[in-house]
Amino acid sequence: MNPATRSRRPASMNTPSIVGRRHRPDYLLVLCISVLLAIGLVVIYSVSPAISARLVGDVDANHFMYRQVLFLAIGFGVFTAASFIPLTFWNKIYKYIIWFAVFSFFLLLIPYFSINYGGATRWVSVGPIICQPAELLKFALLFFMAIFFMQRIKSGAINKKETVYAFLVLFAAISLEIVILQKDLGTMIPIAAIMLTMLYLSGIPLKKFAAILLIIAIGGGLAIASAGHRRERVFTVLNPDADLSGRGYHINQALIAVGSGGLFGKGLGQSVQAYGYLPEAANDSIFAIMAEKFGFIGVMGIFILYGVLLFRLIHIVDRAPNMYLRLVAGGIFAWMSVQAFVNIGAMLGIMPLTGVTLPMLSFGGTSHVFSLA
């Protein structure tokens, strides 16, 4: 959105009112989401026998497909319930959501409840329930940041340096938990995108916004330089052939999957990379599997679906009747777009591997529930 247009929006768009117009469903948005979820389920069904065979014990060949169906059923239930709940309702309970997210992050620090996988601690396990606190945090931040900026706008303090300090303190606290304690810089990228997009839409002066960007960029560079595994991932993107059997293995297997799909793909039942070659075939690497199965034409279809989805979100941001709705919709746009870009970019070798899922397509429970919410 052109920054010059921010100061010329109608007065009703800049008032701190949170009363929106009568809800009118965006059926094109729902259609895109449904088609993406269906494509993801079909692909997971096709690779489920290959990845289930590597599990310990007697596991059904459709183990991952059954679990994905369960996740989608829960997700659609949450989607349906949330579609009938006014956004103003979340203003009343967002503090409880934030505190629950903080509590879940606290559990990550307790070895009994935390799960470490791939060098990062992203999951909490409480009995049979396994979830990612970061997904809850993304959802909670939408409403927390919207209320915070609305209060600053209402008090006329959005342009003051105190707003910058408060934003940076919150950003630093979240970064400490996710980047330092969880060792998960990849998850921090979409969270940073949510916060920065909402900051921009709040109308903060561009000089202050640029200063915040610079500070965060320096912090991100230091986070990469201070950790050996992050430096290796950056070097791998710059020189993916340096260590084909070691640090470059994942990205090279992903590129093989993408390249072997050709124009029309190998077909649903013809995947090779899913059989033990490509790590995380149903999760982080599902885009590479889709490229192998559907080829260039199929991948372009997925890009079109994402394009329409994101275009509708931009349309909602632009047409929002008040600042509160605009901020929430802008945060959702940043969440979906940046997370998709980071995941796909990693599979195409233009971004370091980060371990983030592909929205609406990857296998997973927590990510689907909060994305659909």
Side-chain angles (χ1 to χ4, degrees):
M1 187 174 295
N2 188 342
T5 64
R6 297 195 300 167
S7 61
R8 300 199 299 267
R9 300 191 67 81
S12 62
M13 294 291 285
N14 293 314
T15 59
S17 170
I18 56 175
V19 179
R21 64 183 175 217
R22 185 176 181 274
H23 175 64
R24 289 180 294 181
D26 189 327
Y27 293 109
L28 183 57
L29 193 71
V30 177
L31 178 62
C32 288
I33 292 171
S34 300
V35 174
L36 285 170
L37 291 172
I39 292 173
L41 181 60
V42 169
V43 173
I44 289 170
Y45 169 71
S46 69
V47 301
S48 184
I51 55 181
S52 296
R54 299 199 298 272
L55 297 178
V56 178
D58 186 16
V59 179
D60 190 284
N62 293 320
H63 171 76
F64 285 90
M65 190 272 291
Y66 293 149
R67 291 189 65 190
Q68 186 73 344
V69 169
L70 175 62
F71 295 151
L72 292 183
I74 297 172
F76 266 114
V78 172
F79 176 89
T80 303
S83 68
F84 287 100
I85 297 175
L87 279 180
T88 50
F89 169 80
W90 301 105
N91 303 335
K92 303 174 183 177
I93 68 167
Y94 80 93
K95 292 182 180 179
Y96 301 105
I97 301 176
I98 286 289
W99 282 114
F100 189 75
V102 171
F103 174 72
S104 61
F105 274 112
F106 175 75
L107 292 180
L108 284 172
L109 304 177
I110 304 175
Y112 180 80
F113 295 106
S114 62
I115 299 176
N116 186 287
Y117 181 75
T121 307
R122 299 187 181 103
W123 294 271
V124 166
S125 175
V126 181
I129 300 175
I130 300 176
C131 65
Q132 289 181 274
E135 297 300 323
L136 173 59
L137 179 64
K138 294 174 190 175
F139 184 77
L141 274 176
L142 296 174
F143 307 103
F144 176 80
M145 298 302 297
I147 293 295
F148 170 75
F149 288 130
M150 290 286 290
Q151 291 173 345
R152 303 302 289 177
I153 293 171
K154 185 176 181 180
S155 63
I158 193 66
N159 297 338
K160 294 183 178 180
K161 60 183 179 180
E162 288 81 4
T163 301
V164 175
Y165 296 152
F167 180 88
L168 288 176
V169 168
L170 176 62
F171 193 94
I174 295 174
S175 299
L176 174 65
E177 170 59 40
I178 294 180
V179 179
I180 305 302
L181 299 180
Q182 286 189 226
K183 300 179 181 179
D184 187 10
L185 181 61
T187 296
M188 189 62 202
I189 295 176
I191 291 176
I194 292 171
M195 297 179 69
L196 288 170
T197 299
M198 297 179 76
L199 175 67
Y200 174 81
L201 291 175
S202 71
I204 193 171
L206 292 181
K207 287 185 178 180
K208 288 186 172 66
F209 183 76
I212 290 174
L213 274 181
L214 179 60
I215 292 171
I216 290 175
I218 293 173
L222 292 174
I224 293 172
S226 63
H229 69 284
R230 294 180 190 134
R231 294 196 302 270
E232 287 184 357
R233 289 180 180 181
V234 173
F235 294 148
T236 299
V237 173
L238 299 177
N239 188 10
D241 297 330
D243 187 5
L244 296 179
S245 61
R247 69 189 186 194
Y249 178 81
H250 193 160
I251 191 171
N252 277 279
Q253 293 300 321
L255 292 174
I256 289 172
V258 172
S260 63
L263 186 62
F264 298 104
K266 294 182 175 181
L268 281 176
Q270 305 302 317
S271 175
V272 174
Q273 292 301 97
Y275 284 87
Y277 296 100
L278 180 61
E280 307 296 334
N283 301 85
D284 309 340
S285 305
I286 195 168
F287 176 80
I289 294 294
M290 290 179 173
E292 181 187 29
K293 291 177 176 294
F294 301 143
F296 177 78
I297 300 299
V299 164
M300 289 306 299
I302 292 173
F303 284 161
I304 290 172
L305 287 169
Y306 269 124
V308 174
L309 172 65
L310 297 177
F311 174 79
R312 295 307 301 170
L313 289 174
I314 292 176
H315 178 77
I316 293 169
V317 172
D318 192 53
R319 297 295 181 91
N322 56 63
M323 181 57 77
Y324 173 76
L325 300 178
R326 188 173 178 230
L327 287 170
V328 173
I332 295 171
F333 169 80
W335 177 358
M336 298 299 154
S337 60
V338 171
Q339 187 159 323
F341 175 79
V342 170
N343 178 281
I344 294 173
M347 292 298 100
L348 296 179
I350 61 175
M351 291 281 292
L353 293 169
T354 57
V356 300
T357 57
L358 187 56
M360 311 297 169
L361 291 173
S362 291
F363 173 83
T366 316
S367 59
H368 278 309
V369 168
F370 287 107
S371 294
L372 288 172

